[in-house]
Amino acid sequence: MSAPPKKAQHDADGGKGRFGGRYAALKVLQAVLVKGRSLASAKSLIIDMLEDPRERSLAMELANGVLRWRFRLEVVLAELISKPLRKKDYDIQLVLLIALYQLEAMRTPDYAVVNEAVSQSRRIGKKWAAAMINGVLRNFLRDREALTTRVQENPQARFAHPRWLIDLLEQDWPQLAEPIMVANNRRPPMWLRVNTARITVDDYLKQLDSQQIAAVRHPYAETALKLDTALDVGRLPGFEQGLVSVQDVAAQLAAPLLAARGGERILDLCAAPGGKTCHVLETADDIDMTAVELDAARMQQVQQNLDRLQLRARLIVGDASRVDSWWDGQLFDRILVDAPCSASGVIRRHPDIKSLRRSEDLAALTLVQQQILLQSWRMLEPGGVLLYVTCSVLKQENDHQIEQLLATVDDAEVMPVEGEWGRACRYGRQLLPGDQDADGFYFAQVKKRENPVTDTAITR
C-alpha cells in the first residue's frame, strides 16, 4: 500500500501552545485510545471548544489521520525507537504519531513538524523527551524510503487495519478484502438526502447551483446527491427548513426497501440518530411511526431531526432486545431493524472503529442481534415485512443472522432484495465500502407468513 495521500493543509496551530489544534488532537487521541471514547464524543468535548475554525480543522485532520493510519504509523514508530515507551509516556507516543502523520500526509514543512513535536513535549511537562523526539523524527526523514518499503511486509502496516479485522475480511471476502480496506482508508464523500416530500431533486439541484455548490445524482438512489466538496451544513440551502439532510447513500436505500404505505404501523428499532426514521416518514403520508432507541441522549438527536424536518413519530427510550418493558402488544405492519453491529462498513467515516472494536466484541454483538431479531418477529403482523439492516461487511452479523432466524421460527420467508447496486448474498444484499462511493451496508427482507405450519414459540 502506498503512503497516505497528500492533502493541502496549512499548519493552523500558529504556535499558540497547549490550546491549539495539535494539543486538541493529542487530547482527542488520548480520549479515544486510552479512555475508549468515540471520536465523535471526544470531538464534541474538546475540538468543538476551540474558537479558531482553522485550529478546529487542523485538530480534526490530525485526529482523523492518526486514527485512520494508526496501525501503519505504529509499525513505523516501532522501527525507529530502540524500546517501547512506558505506559505512562503514551502521550509522547501520540506526539510522535501525530508528527509522523504530518510528515507522511500533510504539507507542513518537515522542520516545522519536528520543531513543533519537540515543543509539544515540553509543553506537556516532559522535557526529557525532546531530544528523543528530535532524533526519532530526523531518523525517519533520513531513512523514509527504506523504512516505508520495509514495513510493507507487515499486513497491519500495509493495510492500516488491526490483524483480527484483516483476517476476518480475508475470510469473508477473499477476493475483495484489499479493496475493502483501501476504501476504508479513503476520505468519505458528503452525501445529501433530498426531502422529496417538500422539493424535487431537480429543483434542489438548482438551489445548490445558485449557491455555486456542485453536486451529482446517484444512479440508483433517487433522493441522493453527492457534493464535490464537503461543507458546513449551514451553507446548504434550506437545511434548517428541512429541505435536505446529510446521510450516506447506502443508508438512503433502507426506506425504499421498507416501502411503507400510508396508514401502516411502522416500527424502527435502534433508531438513533434518526436518519432512516425521517426518510421513511418522508416517503409516505399518514404513517403511524414508532421509533425505539436504548440511549436517551441519542434519542434527543432523533427528536431534533424530526423537529427540523417537521415530522412526527412516537419515540420510546427502550431496549430492542427486551421489548416487554415498553411494547403495548399491538403488532406492526413493517419493522426496520437497524441492528447494532461492528460498524465495519463505515470505517472511512469513523476511523476510531479500527481502534475501539475488538475481535471479542463480535460474540456479544451477534447475540444481541439474534435477540433483537427474535423480539422483532414477535411484534410483526402476519403478512408483514421485517427489514434487517447493518453497517457491517462481516457475514456473521449479516447472512448468518438471517439464517439463524429462519432456523428458529417456522413462519419466515426471505424476500429477495432487488437492486442494481451491491452484491447478492444468500439471503440479502451487500454494499461494500466504496461501491458507488457508498458506505458498506447489508440489507435483508423477511416476510411473516400468514399461515405458518405450526405456532412459533419464541423464548422471551
Side-chain angles (χ1 to χ4, degrees):
M1 191 180 85
S2 61
K6 290 286 185 181
K7 178 183 183 292
Q9 171 72 52
H10 294 293
D11 189 332
D13 204 26
K16 294 181 180 179
R18 56 188 291 118
F19 299 108
R22 288 187 201 82
Y23 183 74
L26 175 63
K27 299 306 288 183
V28 165
L29 291 171
Q30 287 178 313
V32 173
L33 298 177
V34 178
K35 299 178 181 177
R37 289 184 178 275
S38 70
L39 177 58
S41 66
K43 172 184 176 292
S44 66
L45 290 172
I46 300 167
I47 294 179
D48 289 351
M49 298 299 104
L50 293 172
E51 294 182 4
D52 188 333
R54 292 175 58 207
E55 292 194 10
R56 287 199 299 271
S57 177
L58 176 65
M60 279 306 296
E61 173 65 23
L62 295 176
N64 270 300
V66 170
L67 290 169
R68 184 172 289 122
W69 297 100
R70 173 195 167 196
F71 291 92
R72 172 196 175 91
L73 296 171
E74 286 186 338
V75 174
V76 171
L77 182 58
E79 292 279 326
L80 292 166
I81 57 178
S82 57
K83 61 180 181 179
L85 290 163
R86 295 171 296 181
K87 186 176 181 180
K88 69 176 184 177
D89 295 322
Y90 190 64
D91 51 357
I92 295 300
Q93 177 160 325
L94 293 177
V95 168
L96 284 164
L97 294 180
I98 290 170
L100 288 172
Y101 173 70
Q102 286 184 283
L103 292 172
E104 282 211 322
M106 295 173 69
R107 293 183 180 176
T108 311
D110 293 347
Y111 73 87
V113 173
V114 176
N115 290 344
E116 177 54 37
V118 169
S119 297
Q120 188 81 288
S121 69
R122 294 191 178 110
R123 287 196 295 268
I124 61 177
K126 296 193 174 178
K127 295 180 181 180
W128 62 265
M132 183 269 287
I133 289 172
N134 182 70
V136 166
L137 296 180
R138 294 196 182 280
N139 285 342
F140 170 76
L141 291 170
R142 185 178 59 251
D143 301 329
R144 186 190 313 216
E145 258 186 66
L147 184 56
T148 299
T149 300
R150 192 159 65 247
V151 300
Q152 295 302 309
E153 299 173 7
N154 184 314
Q156 291 198 167
R158 186 163 70 252
F159 300 123
H161 280 61
R163 188 59 200 242
W164 70 268
L165 185 53
I166 295 172
D167 292 343
L168 274 179
L169 291 173
E170 289 179 341
Q171 171 188 298
D172 285 355
W173 305 98
Q175 305 303 316
L176 296 167
E178 184 167 349
I180 290 171
M181 290 184 282
V182 169
N184 284 346
N185 290 332
R186 290 186 179 136
R187 298 169 188 271
M190 185 171 180
W191 285 98
L192 306 180
R193 185 188 79 240
V194 178
N195 182 357
T196 51
R198 305 273 300 280
I199 189 172
T200 67
V201 176
D202 286 338
D203 284 344
Y204 192 74
L205 273 169
K206 292 175 183 176
Q207 291 202 19
L208 290 176
D209 188 59
S210 71
Q211 301 293 319
Q212 297 183 317
I213 299 172
V216 294
R217 302 184 72 148
H218 189 273
Y220 310 128
E222 294 181 0
T223 56
L225 294 175
K226 183 175 71 172
L227 299 186
D228 282 9
T229 304
L231 47 77
D232 187 272
V233 294
R235 292 188 54 202
L236 293 172
F239 179 80
E240 292 299 333
Q241 292 71 41
L243 298 186
V244 68
S245 299
V246 177
Q247 186 181 41
D248 187 81
V249 63
Q252 294 187 46
L253 298 170
L257 286 173
L258 190 67
R261 293 172 291 196
E264 290 184 327
R265 282 174 48 80
I266 309 297
L267 176 63
D268 182 2
L269 291 175
C270 314
K276 298 182 189 71
T277 309
C278 294
H279 193 192
V280 171
L281 288 165
E282 291 169 0
T283 61
D285 294 327
D286 193 30
I287 292 174
D288 183 359
M289 168 68 79
T290 299
V292 177
E293 169 59 41
L294 179 61
D295 189 319
R298 297 194 75 215
M299 183 62 95
Q300 292 178 9
Q301 295 178 286
V302 180
Q303 187 63 65
Q304 289 165 3
N305 280 316
L306 289 167
D307 291 344
R308 183 179 61 81
L309 294 162
Q310 300 173 40
L311 299 170
R312 296 181 64 184
R314 183 182 303 105
L315 304 185
I316 297 174
V317 175
D319 189 341
S321 67
R322 301 185 178 194
V323 304
D324 289 326
S325 63
W326 54 265
W327 181 41
D328 63 5
Q330 294 189 61
L331 299 177
F332 293 90
D333 298 292
R334 296 173 197 265
I335 298 177
L336 169 59
V337 176
D338 194 4
C341 67
S342 66
S344 53
V346 293
I347 286 173
R348 64 180 189 166
R349 294 193 184 280
H350 305 283
D352 51 323
I353 289 167
K354 293 182 190 178
S355 297
L356 296 177
R357 290 287 183 274
R358 301 286 186 273
S359 59
E360 53 266 29
D361 297 338
L362 291 176
L365 281 168
T366 54
L367 179 60
V368 170
Q369 290 157 6
Q370 290 170 17
Q371 292 171 337
I372 291 174
L373 273 171
L374 290 175
Q375 294 298 299
S376 302
W377 202 249
R378 289 176 56 204
M379 298 185 288
L380 187 63
E381 186 83 45
V385 174
L386 183 149
L387 177 63
Y388 178 73
V389 180
T390 75
C391 55
S392 172
V393 297
L394 303 179
K395 293 185 178 180
Q396 60 189 287
E397 299 186 276
N398 296 337
D399 257 11
H400 293 180
Q401 293 292 20
I402 302 303
E403 183 176 51
Q404 180 69 28
L405 176 67
L406 297 175
T408 306
V409 303
D410 62 0
D411 53 352
E413 176 184 349
V414 174
M415 302 168 62
V417 178
E418 305 291 351
E420 298 178 79
W421 46 268
R423 293 161 173 78
C425 303
R426 184 179 180 188
Y427 298 112
R429 198 166 192 87
Q430 179 78 61
L431 263 174
L432 295 178
D435 287 351
Q436 288 96 42
D437 220 353
D439 288 343
F441 268 68
Y442 173 83
F443 303 87
Q445 291 175 304
V446 188
K447 184 175 182 177
K448 193 170 196 177
R449 289 197 297 267
E450 297 193 41
N451 298 303
V453 177
T454 59
D455 291 336
T456 302
I458 299 175
T459 302
R460 299 192 179 187

